[in-house]
Amino acid sequence: MAVTHASDVGGRAHAGVGRNPVLLTLVGTAVVLMVAHAFGVLPPWLQRIPETMIPPTAEALDAVFAFVQNDLGLIYVTRFIAEGPLEFFLDATANLLYGKRRWPMLGPIPWTAIAGAAAVLGYYLGGWRLAVLAGGTFVWTALIGQWDIAMQTMSVLVVAAPIAFLIGLLLGIAAWKYVRVDTVIKPILSVLQTLPFFTYLLPAVIFFKVGPTAGAVATIIYAMPPMILMTTLGLKKVSPEVVEAGKMSGCTRWQMLTRVYLPAARTEILVGVNQVIMLCLAMVVLTAFIGMPGLGAKLLAMMGSFKLGRSFEIGVTIVLFAIMLDRLSKAWVVKQPIHFEKGTPWWKQHAYLLIGLAVFSFFCIVSQFVDVFAEIGRRQSFSKGKEIDVAIKSFLAIDAVNAVTEWLRWFLNVKVLIPFRNSLLWIPTPAFILLVTALAYWLGGKRPAIYAFVFFTLVAFSGWWDRSVITLYTVISAVIISMLVGIPLGIFAARSAKWSNRILLACDTAQTFPSFIYLIPAIMLFGVNDVAVVFAIVIFTTVPLTRYTIEGLRTVPPEITEAADMSGATRRQKLWSVQLPMALPTMAVGFNQAIMFAFFMVIIAAFIGTQDLGQELQRTLAGTELGKNIVLGLNVAFMALTFDLAVMAWAEKRKKMLGLG
């Protein structure tokens, strides 16, 4: 019974597809247009929208921004913030962390003092393993000769993350408190989370100057959305019993918020903090494109000069910082507040704080007498960049390795990627829009189909259709390859708890890597071409597909699999007829994340050299074409939102059919 139930639900999910008049009309019209195009009878204006019909959206946006910037005087407000309080905080942290000559003239703090204090914090939050990770990350950074560039990155991070947290918290509270704010802010957050990062950079440069100030502003805006969403979610989940207890104790509205709601939503808020920190680190690295110094700028320079050994070392440092910050913030989430008995001495209540201050002070004093405890110079560092560079180039020069990469590059380019790209570009614009609309309708129904039609029509009238199609071709190619790798890997891992835990740990670790890192192996193996772009995206997008395949298969109710066993189903029958149909709603989340990650990564891959929207977005950073920048960014957002809405609507329908909610 269980076997037939699961498979029957799968059949009913798309029952009547062949008889659906809307779907048949959409697909049929698209096919007629393509056949007409193949026979050369389709009018040119139905193949591509003529230039004369493209509205001057970019120019109009430029005029609006110029009015807001100059006539309304917004530029003076933003420049005051940039050159006033924001620059003051950035200068202060820069002075403390790497010795920039600004107030308070106390820096730089010795690397040993920071490493020691980080180790104590790690031990307090998670024991000796986290202490080794936290302290060891700073020790590695100093010994490898990257302390100054790492502290340049951290000096912006320690300013941007708290500001993003505070603004996100306040907006989250407002969205929870007022329905109108929530209604307005939700679509804005959806767009912000799908906009490519280049779209954040140019407005920041224009309004807040090139360098750390613009980098900090772009980072703050980029990192806020998850904080807003998690704060709202946490406050909405506070149980009525807790609220009632607060009211009965006579709390004022302020006390209810600060002593009841916020403490009860602590876990969700701290998850938001974790997301803010990770997004801030990712963005601070990416702001190298607008003159932000630090690890990102150095990595960009090394990759641009093809110094892969040095790039590898910097990549390891970025990864270590990402893992350290991720683990510390997650440990903070799960660590419950410690309550002491009344009358407990102050020093006992704050023992770890005092130990941390003692360690910090000790190394500050010792560094005054032992130079190596204060700073490690280039001659003293253990950098092996040149040696790694030689080793990598020697490995890539091996005939067998060279033959495999050359064959893969040829096969994927000539037999797969270029034909697929040309096929998509050949499809007439109206037919393409109708096919995407039909796909959205088949997956999610009427509402996602309407959004798909509107969004892709807007893309068509943006004047950047071919570039958008090339972007989409790269995303689709990478996601398909990721599915061929990630889903079988997830199915294999889900068969045993041991392998599930191992693969999930690898996925957790990989998800902390800043996206730039994935370009290094792609360039190493395939050089600069479409295969390298797709390969970098595949590494990035395989993670969510693998993770959610494992999670989906592990959450299949045991009684259903037991019923399948009792009915005499083979392992293959049980997998295809029971487990996968039941796991598909969860797997759809992974598929959706893979698509979102692919759209994000394809913009990063513009550094390799592409012909898509990412390349055009990167070019806008060299000028002041803010309107063009926004139009290009919205094109990416519209395409990403189309698939996001369709896939998530399908997942919800599937859950209801399976009785899962």
Side-chain angles (χ1 to χ4, degrees):
M1 290 290 290
V3 179
T4 55
H5 167 71
S7 57
D8 285 348
V9 170
R12 288 197 302 270
H14 298 296
V17 166
R19 300 186 300 274
N20 191 307
V22 176
L23 203 59
L24 283 173
T25 303
L26 291 170
V27 175
T29 307
V31 170
V32 169
L33 289 169
M34 288 190 288
V35 170
H37 183 43
F39 284 97
V41 296
L42 190 69
W45 61 273
L46 277 176
Q47 297 173 26
R48 287 289 184 271
I49 295 175
E51 289 288 332
T52 54
M53 293 180 63
I54 303 295
T57 310
E59 292 78 2
L61 286 172
D62 279 332
V64 171
F65 288 128
F67 174 76
V68 172
Q69 177 182 336
N70 301 316
D71 296 347
L72 294 184
L74 182 61
I75 187 70
Y76 302 109
V77 177
T78 56
R79 286 297 168 91
F80 169 76
I81 295 171
E83 296 169 2
L86 186 58
E87 194 166 51
F88 171 79
F89 286 119
L90 290 170
D91 283 345
T93 56
N95 172 255
L96 292 171
L97 292 176
Y98 65 93
K100 186 176 180 179
R101 294 190 62 78
R102 294 288 189 274
W103 184 90
M105 296 295 184
L106 297 174
I109 299 171
W111 69 269
T112 47
I114 293 176
V120 174
L121 176 63
Y123 188 82
Y124 166 70
L125 290 174
W128 67 269
R129 291 178 188 272
L130 203 51
V132 171
L133 174 63
T137 297
F138 287 104
V139 171
W140 156 273
T141 306
L143 294 182
I144 213 71
Q146 296 173 11
W147 186 260
D148 278 355
I149 59 173
M151 292 305 103
Q152 288 169 10
T153 297
M154 290 298 291
S155 68
V156 177
L157 181 66
V158 297
V159 172
I163 294 175
F165 160 74
L166 183 60
I167 296 174
L169 180 70
L170 294 176
L171 288 175
I173 293 171
W176 159 73
K177 190 76 174 174
Y178 305 105
V179 177
R180 287 184 180 179
V181 175
D182 191 38
T183 305
V184 170
I185 212 168
K186 270 187 178 177
I188 295 174
L189 292 179
S190 296
V191 173
L192 285 177
Q193 288 186 305
T194 52
L195 279 175
F197 75 95
F198 278 137
T199 309
Y200 292 87
L201 300 184
L202 187 58
V205 168
I206 291 173
F207 287 101
F208 293 93
K209 300 193 310 178
V210 173
T213 50
V217 170
T219 301
I220 290 165
I221 297 171
Y222 184 72
M224 278 196 307
M227 189 68 225
I228 299 171
L229 291 171
M230 292 309 298
T231 301
T232 307
L233 177 66
L235 291 171
K236 285 180 178 178
K237 286 176 64 177
V238 175
S239 65
E241 293 81 8
V242 173
V243 176
E244 192 62 33
K247 289 178 178 178
M248 289 177 66
S249 64
C251 290
T252 62
R253 291 174 65 184
W254 175 252
Q255 289 173 330
M256 283 292 294
L257 176 65
T258 56
R259 299 185 184 181
V260 178
Y261 280 106
L262 290 179
R266 175 183 181 275
T267 300
E268 286 79 10
I269 290 172
L270 291 181
V271 169
V273 172
N274 169 261
Q275 293 297 304
V276 165
I277 292 171
M278 299 311 296
L279 289 176
C280 280
L281 178 61
M283 194 61 172
V284 165
V285 172
L286 295 172
T287 50
F289 284 101
I290 55 170
M292 172 67 205
L295 290 168
K298 195 68 175 178
L299 180 60
L300 203 61
M302 292 297 102
M303 289 172 64
S305 56
F306 217 65
K307 294 180 179 177
L308 298 178
R310 189 69 169 152
S311 299
F312 176 79
E313 286 187 341
I314 297 170
V316 170
T317 302
I318 295 172
V319 167
L320 284 174
F321 267 95
I323 294 173
M324 175 194 70
L325 292 171
D326 180 60
R327 297 293 187 270
L328 286 174
S329 54
K330 282 182 176 176
W332 189 21
V333 172
V334 300
K335 189 174 181 64
Q336 295 299 315
I338 301 173
H339 301 282
F340 295 91
E341 293 182 4
K342 192 174 181 180
T344 303
W346 183 88
W347 64 269
K348 279 190 177 181
Q349 296 182 39
H350 302 88
Y352 283 101
L353 175 62
L354 294 174
I355 293 169
L357 288 172
V359 170
F360 183 85
S361 302
F362 170 78
F363 282 114
C364 283
I365 294 168
V366 171
S367 65
Q368 301 299 314
F369 304 98
V370 184
D371 290 342
V372 75
F373 275 48
E375 184 180 3
I376 292 182
R378 292 185 63 182
R379 292 185 178 182
Q380 299 163 305
S381 75
F382 292 89
S383 173
K384 299 294 179 184
K386 291 182 180 178
E387 291 82 352
I388 296 172
D389 212 24
V390 171
I392 290 172
K393 289 176 180 177
S394 300
F395 172 75
L396 296 176
I398 296 172
D399 291 340
V401 175
N402 207 19
V404 171
T405 55
E406 283 288 340
W407 182 85
L408 272 174
R409 184 161 56 234
W410 169 82
F411 177 78
L412 288 173
N413 258 328
V414 177
K415 300 294 184 181
V416 180
L417 297 178
I418 293 175
F420 182 47
R421 182 193 66 193
N422 293 342
S423 299
L424 291 181
L425 288 170
W426 175 86
I427 299 173
T429 301
F432 201 109
I433 294 171
L434 291 173
L435 288 174
V436 172
T437 305
L439 176 64
Y441 184 81
W442 180 62
L443 287 173
K446 183 179 177 181
R447 189 171 180 180
I450 293 172
Y451 278 119
F453 181 81
V454 171
F455 287 161
F456 269 78
T457 301
L458 289 172
V459 171
F461 278 94
S462 71
W464 296 98
W465 178 259
D466 283 357
R467 296 278 184 167
S468 301
V469 171
I470 293 172
T471 302
L472 193 58
Y473 128 81
T474 310
V475 168
I476 294 171
S477 303
V479 171
I480 289 173
I481 297 172
S482 297
M483 289 172 64
L484 295 175
V485 176
I487 293 176
L489 181 60
I491 291 171
F492 165 77
R495 290 181 176 179
S496 72
K498 180 177 71 174
W499 278 105
S500 292
N501 293 332
R502 287 176 179 175
I503 299 296
L504 286 173
L505 178 62
C507 290
D508 282 342
T509 305
Q511 279 195 310
T512 62
F513 294 2
S515 48
F516 243 130
I517 303 303
Y518 295 98
L519 297 180
I520 297 175
I523 295 174
M524 283 168 48
L525 293 172
F526 300 106
V528 176
N529 51 61
D530 279 11
V531 176
V533 173
V534 171
F535 183 77
I537 300 171
V538 165
I539 303 172
F540 197 47
T541 53
T542 299
V543 172
L545 285 166
T546 305
R547 161 184 282 285
Y548 284 98
T549 300
I550 295 172
E551 295 290 356
L553 291 172
R554 290 173 72 180
T555 54
V556 174
E559 57 271 17
I560 292 180
T561 55
E562 287 171 9
D565 290 331
M566 291 175 65
S567 67
T570 64
R571 175 182 282 188
R572 180 176 295 180
Q573 288 172 329
K574 185 168 68 174
L575 175 66
W576 286 101
S577 299
V578 180
Q579 292 171 311
L580 283 177
M582 294 293 292
L584 276 176
T586 303
M587 292 171 64
V589 177
F591 183 69
N592 184 59
Q593 278 197 10
I595 294 173
M596 297 300 107
F597 286 2
F599 273 109
F600 176 80
M601 192 65 190
V602 77
I603 304 302
I604 303 286
F607 174 75
I608 294 178
T610 55
Q611 298 176 330
D612 57 11
L613 294 172
Q615 193 64 229
E616 289 296 328
L617 273 165
Q618 189 174 342
R619 286 174 186 157
T620 62
L621 297 181
T624 56
E625 299 174 286
L626 189 53
K628 177 183 173 182
N629 179 275
I630 298 297
V631 169
L632 293 168
L634 286 174
N635 279 359
V636 178
F638 287 151
M639 291 190 293
L641 280 170
T642 296
F643 290 99
D644 175 57
L645 292 169
V647 172
M648 296 315 294
W650 180 87
E652 287 302 316
K653 283 167 58 178
R654 185 82 186 180
K655 281 182 182 178
K656 289 179 181 177
M657 289 178 183
L658 293 169
L660 300 176

